[in-house]
Amino acid sequence: YERDVELLTESDVVIAETSITSIGVGWEIGYAQAKGKKIICLHNVNSDKKVTPMISGNSGINLILYTTIRDAKEQLKKVLG
């Protein structure tokens, strides 16, 4: 826990995969937002899980919807510049 919090605190950008439900990832996203970090969430449109409104409705989160790993990488490169 302490190591993860330290890494989040030191990071400039947090990239989270949200195609699978995870309380831990949700906590990390909330922590990153509270610390003013840039947040990018990746979500596979073929996942049986829908993007939670806590992510899709949050203007502080950049949501990337992707179909393949290649697609995710290409979109992530554009967002990161």
Side-chain angles (χ1 to χ4, degrees), residues 4-5 7-8 10 12-15 19 21 24-25 28-30 36-37 45-46 53 55-57 70 72 75 80:
D4 290 350
V5 170
L7 291 171
L8 285 167
E10 294 174 356
D12 295 322
V13 178
V14 173
I15 300 171
S19 302
T21 303
V25 171
E28 291 170 346
I29 292 168
K37 306 295 181 177
V45 297
N46 297 314
I55 292 174
S56 62
R70 172 182 257 162
Q75 290 192 61
L80 292 173

Side-chain angles (χ1 to χ4, degrees), residues 22-75:
S22 169
I23 293 171
V25 171
W27 186 92
E28 291 170 346
I29 292 168
Y31 183 86
Q33 187 164 31
K35 293 292 185 181
K37 306 295 181 177
K38 179 175 183 172
I39 303 166
I40 302 169
C41 290
L42 302 168
H43 192 90
N44 189 319
V45 297
N46 297 314
S47 171
D48 60 339
K49 306 293 182 190
K50 296 192 185 270
V51 180
T52 175
M54 293 296 290
I55 292 174
S56 62
N58 188 329
S59 62
I61 295 176
N62 189 328
L63 176 61
I64 294 176
L65 301 174
Y66 70 92
T67 54
T68 64
I69 297 298
R70 172 182 257 162
D71 179 30
K73 287 180 180 180
E74 288 173 3
Q75 290 192 61

